[in-house]
């Protein structure tokens, strides 16, 4: 039995799918059973609660062979990242009281840096917060999600994909959420290990590469366009980040553009992704037209 946090999201869902495909039993901590009904129908055991409740996490950990934990994505966090700090404290409290044979935590490329990473700071805090847990822990440092470019299916009909990557031909680590789920499932159900380890997950890809693959799926010529730096706040606001709160997102992309999410951090392992941006776009487009 394996606990999967965030099962109604992309990475948690992908992890659960791969574990179920292996014939493993899955348990999920859920706030809304109705949203997780499809998982219950597939045999997933649902436990009521969420990551803001240490006691609920502890109950969900009881008797499992391993646990996948993650932080919810918050694009406009408090200046001190109090949301992430609270959830991390709950995880540490629960894992201290209910230790499990292994833990896999979703982190990010760049989380090895203690500062200057904007939104990725939350994942750096997660790794730091787990440092004193005497458990086998694997931090999966995923690259940027290809799924974050899915907006292109709606706005790139004119042949332009606006991006925050600049220059657009510079490569950084990117990966599909399904590949993240596959690696997490492998870590949970595969050979045991001791101590803490960090796995860099993804391949070096440029925004130009992503735009070209989007164009192949849409059957038009699509080119990446770097949004001018002065226009970032307004553009983030269009993506749903409240006005005046895009600072952490801006800092993250500034770090990415200067190599903050490049592969090759000393002491880490590396697993390349097998799913391309093209695959992600094609699957999403097929789902919409089906």
């Amino acid at each position: 039995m394996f606990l999967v946090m965030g099962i109604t999201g992309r990475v948690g869902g992908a992890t659960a799918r791969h574990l179920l495909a292996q014939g493993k039993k899955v348990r999920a901590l859920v706030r809304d059973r109705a949203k997780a009904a499809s998982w219950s129908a597939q045999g997933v055991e649902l436990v009521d609660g969420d990551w803001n409740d240490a006691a609920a996490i502890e109950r969900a950990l009881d008797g499992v062979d391993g646990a996948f934990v993650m932080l919810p994505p918050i694009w406009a966090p408090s200046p001190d990242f109090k949301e992430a700090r609270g959830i991390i404290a709950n995880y540490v409290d629960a894992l201290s009281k209910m230790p499990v044979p292994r833990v896999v935590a979703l982190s990010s490329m760049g989380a090895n840096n203690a500062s200057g990473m904007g939104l990725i700071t939350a994942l750096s805090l997660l790794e730091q917060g787990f440092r004193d847990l005497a458990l086998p822990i694997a931090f999966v440092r995923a690259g940027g999600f290809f799924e974050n470019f899915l907006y292109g299916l709606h706005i790139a009909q004119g042949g332009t994909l606006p991006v925050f990557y600049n220059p657009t031909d510079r490569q950084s680590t990117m990966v599909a959420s399904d590949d993240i789920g596959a690696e997490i499932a492998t870590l949970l159900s595969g050979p045991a290990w001791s101590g803490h380890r960090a796995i860099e997950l993804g391949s070096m890809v440029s925004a130009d590469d992503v735009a070209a693959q989007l164009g192949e799926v849409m059957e038009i010529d699509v080119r990446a366009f770097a949004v001018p730096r002065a226009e970032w706040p307004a553009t983030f606001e269009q993506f749903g980040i409240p006005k005046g709160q895009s600072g952490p997102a801006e800092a993250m992309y500034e770090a990415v553009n200067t190599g903050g999410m490049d592969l090759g951090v000393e002491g880490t392992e590396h697993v390349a992704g097998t799913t391309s941006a093209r695959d992600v776009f094609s699957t999403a487009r097929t789902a919409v037209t089906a």
Side-chain angles (χ1 to χ4, degrees):
M1 174 74 76
F2 296 97
L3 172 63
V4 174
M5 297 294 291
I7 197 169
T8 58
R10 284 191 179 128
V11 174
T15 300
R17 284 194 300 274
H18 283 282
L19 286 170
L20 291 171
Q22 294 176 16
K24 307 298 184 183
K25 294 182 178 180
V26 175
R27 176 184 294 163
L29 186 66
V30 297
R31 183 170 44 197
D32 186 342
R33 283 179 173 261
K35 290 183 178 179
S38 64
W39 292 110
S40 179
Q42 296 177 65
V44 173
E45 177 187 331
L46 303 182
V47 176
D48 295 315
D50 64 24
W51 30 47
N52 293 309
D53 184 346
I57 298 172
E58 184 181 346
R59 289 195 304 272
L61 289 169
D62 188 15
V64 300
D65 299 304
F68 164 61
V69 301
M70 60 173 289
L71 298 177
I74 300 175
W75 282 85
S78 299
D80 61 353
F81 289 88
K82 68 177 182 180
E83 301 90 352
R85 292 180 187 275
I87 295 169
I88 293 164
N90 289 335
Y91 280 141
V92 171
D93 182 46
L95 288 166
S96 297
K97 295 176 179 176
M98 189 66 69
V100 296
R102 67 181 78 183
V103 176
V104 180
L106 178 62
S107 187
S108 170
M109 296 295 296
N112 55 293
N113 298 308
S115 63
M117 294 303 296
L119 292 175
I120 297 172
T121 301
L123 286 315
S124 178
L125 291 171
L126 175 69
E127 293 196 16
Q128 294 172 35
F130 281 17
R131 185 174 297 163
D132 293 331
L133 288 172
L135 298 170
I137 302 176
F139 297 104
V140 175
R141 293 179 180 168
F145 291 14
F146 286 136
E147 287 81 1
N148 289 339
F149 292 97
L150 285 175
Y151 64 89
L153 289 170
H154 306 286
I155 69 171
Q157 288 88 350
T160 300
L161 178 68
V163 298
F164 298 105
Y165 296 87
N166 191 7
T168 59
D169 63 351
R170 191 192 189 287
Q171 295 183 326
S172 64
T173 314
M174 300 187 194
V175 68
S177 58
D178 189 66
D179 286 346
I180 303 173
E183 177 61 17
I184 293 168
T186 296
L187 289 165
L188 286 172
S189 62
W193 72 89
S194 60
H196 294 186
R197 54 197 289 208
I199 298 98
E200 296 182 336
L201 180 55
S203 303
M204 294 293 282
V205 181
S206 71
D208 284 344
D209 297 330
V210 172
Q213 293 178 43
L214 173 62
E216 292 174 17
V217 172
M218 298 180 69
E219 299 182 332
I220 60 173
D221 182 34
V222 176
R223 297 182 181 276
F225 166 72
V227 177
R229 181 65 182 85
E231 297 178 16
W232 281 17
T235 305
F236 278 119
E237 190 175 345
Q238 292 175 13
F239 278 101
I241 297 180
K243 185 175 183 178
Q245 297 184 43
S246 60
E250 294 176 43
M252 177 182 70
Y253 278 103
E254 286 181 337
V256 171
N257 289 337
T258 55
M261 288 184 70
D262 290 0
L263 293 170
V265 174
E266 185 177 356
T268 63
E269 306 166 45
H270 174 232
V271 175
T274 60
T275 304
S276 67
R278 182 189 303 102
D279 296 331
V280 171
F281 292 134
S282 180
T283 298
R285 199 177 197 200
T286 299
V288 170
T289 58

